[in-house]
Amino acid sequence: MEIIITPDYEQMSKTSAQIIAREIRKQHDLVLGLATGDTPVGTYKELAKTHKEEGLDFSKVTAFNLDEYVGLAPLHENSYNFFMEENLFKDINVNPENVYVPQGNTNDPEEFSQWYEKKIKEAGGLDLQVLGIGGDGHIGFNEPGSSFASRTRVKALEKQTIEDNSRFFEKEEDVPRFAITMGIGTILEAKKILLIANGENKANVCAQFIEGPVSSQITASALQLHSYVTVVLDEAAASKLKRKDYYNWVRDNKHLVQKKVGR
Ligand code: GLP
């Protein structure tokens, strides 16, 4: 895992957008996995800006979102479909035919999940998956206890997740209790993974998934099993890491590291 600690949210957003842009420039038909939440909003703004000012071309990119609330139609203002449209898709030149976000109002979530997996496979698999992290250590909506072999499916949401995400809804009772989410197994098959996190409220969980044991109780810790993960944090989210000095040395000596380990 490469850990890049940045001073603040703005720089975290810029750094993560640069990483995504670099991959798109290298491979125009990149298969890009995307996340929702407050964390990636700044990253998506930066990507939209890079598209507008530098012509970053999304026309051949295929996008797959991680998850969606069960029961919410794509036009519902709290749906992740709506979120993606508002925060990214409307500002870039991605082809709507190449955009996939799980369908929350499907009649048959199980069948839908299998179809979603098939679509990812047909696209050639995820090249780069962008992730945030939930307060209970989840990636996507893979709540504690999720199998590391899990595929896209319906998950029941943890109490803490419902509380955390209630800020987007009028009242807590409005937060759906279930979501369709890519599985940990689906995420781990991405060729590269980029996780971003900011704020003090993510500090404990970041220390746990980066430096703690691999455990399905903190599902982000499954990323320790992946060979190409980049984590971009702000200072606050990194504040409980024990090996900060080491990560910063690697970051600041990138030229030496690239020469030796080719990354
Ligand atoms: C939700 C999403 C996750 C996201 C998490 C954190 O639960 N399913 O993909 O990472 O929220 O959200 P935020 O970035 O708002 O803290």
Side-chain angles (χ1 to χ4, degrees):
M1 255 193 230
E2 181 183 8
I3 315 295
I4 304 175
I5 302 168
T6 61
D8 51 27
Y9 181 80
E10 199 189 332
Q11 199 49 52
M12 177 205 77
S13 304
K14 283 195 175 136
T15 302
S16 51
Q18 278 160 8
I19 291 171
I20 299 166
R22 192 180 63 205
E23 295 300 318
I24 296 172
R25 286 191 184 109
K26 266 200 292 198
Q27 188 185 334
H28 292 168
D29 61 350
L30 196 81
V31 181
L32 181 60
L34 294 168
T36 51
D38 279 334
T39 313
V41 170
T43 305
Y44 295 159
K45 274 206 182 96
E46 285 295 327
L47 282 176
K49 197 168 150 223
T50 315
H51 165 66
K52 201 169 157 216
E53 292 174 4
E54 295 169 34
L56 181 66
D57 183 16
F58 289 82
S59 64
K60 295 195 173 63
V61 169
T62 302
F64 285 94
N65 256 78
L66 277 171
D67 47 16
E68 177 60 288
Y69 290 113
V70 169
L72 298 195
L75 289 177
H76 190 290
E77 60 173 7
N78 289 122
S79 77
Y80 286 167
N81 277 268
F82 188 82
F83 173 97
M84 288 310 300
E85 195 51 41
E86 284 300 296
N87 288 287
L88 182 65
F89 297 149
K90 74 169 171 44
D91 297 322
I92 57 173
N93 66 332
V94 71
N95 179 350
E97 280 177 20
N98 296 340
V99 164
Y100 297 87
V101 183
Q103 195 80 34
N105 60 347
T106 170
N107 290 327
D108 192 338
E110 201 174 311
E111 193 187 19
F112 178 86
S113 300
Q114 281 169 18
W115 176 85
Y116 206 67
E117 285 281 334
K118 203 172 109 218
K119 282 289 166 194
I120 296 173
K121 214 168 176 185
E122 280 171 9
L126 300 159
D127 292 308
L128 173 66
Q129 176 64 55
V130 178
L131 299 171
I133 184 166
D136 63 4
H138 71 225
I139 45 177
F141 267 129
N142 292 285
E143 295 289 32
S146 293
S147 160
F148 285 1
S150 53
R151 314 301 308 190
T152 303
R153 70 215 182 289
V154 172
K155 269 308 274 187
L157 302 186
E158 253 283 350
K159 197 166 166 281
Q160 186 185 345
T161 302
I162 294 167
E163 277 167 22
D164 286 350
N165 292 358
S166 66
R167 68 188 192 278
F168 298 109
F169 293 79
E170 214 168 284
K171 44 188 187 329
E172 201 174 303
E173 299 84 83
D174 294 343
V175 184
R177 265 42 185 174
F178 297 91
I180 298 177
T181 179
M182 278 186 204
I184 303 284
T186 321
I187 294 168
L188 288 179
E189 276 174 18
K191 291 186 192 80
K192 294 181 183 177
I193 294 175
L194 168 67
L195 186 146
I196 55 179
N198 71 289
E200 219 184 306
N201 60 333
K202 297 285 172 71
N204 272 328
V205 96
C206 284
Q208 280 176 291
F209 96 86
I210 295 168
E211 295 178 339
V214 174
S215 160
S216 66
Q217 291 306 302
I218 299 287
T219 56
S221 69
L223 301 183
Q224 291 181 31
L225 303 171
H226 193 280
S227 61
Y228 203 115
V229 177
T230 308
V231 181
V232 182
L233 305 172
D234 73 347
E235 276 289 350
S239 59
K240 300 253 165 80
L241 292 175
K242 291 203 184 75
R243 298 193 194 281
K244 248 203 289 192
D245 292 347
Y246 172 67
Y247 309 137
N248 288 342
W249 186 88
V250 173
R251 181 199 59 200
D252 297 339
N253 292 277
K254 195 87 191 180
H255 55 295
L256 292 177
V257 177
Q258 260 160 355
K259 235 188 263 166
K260 298 273 186 217
V261 297
R263 182 172 162 172

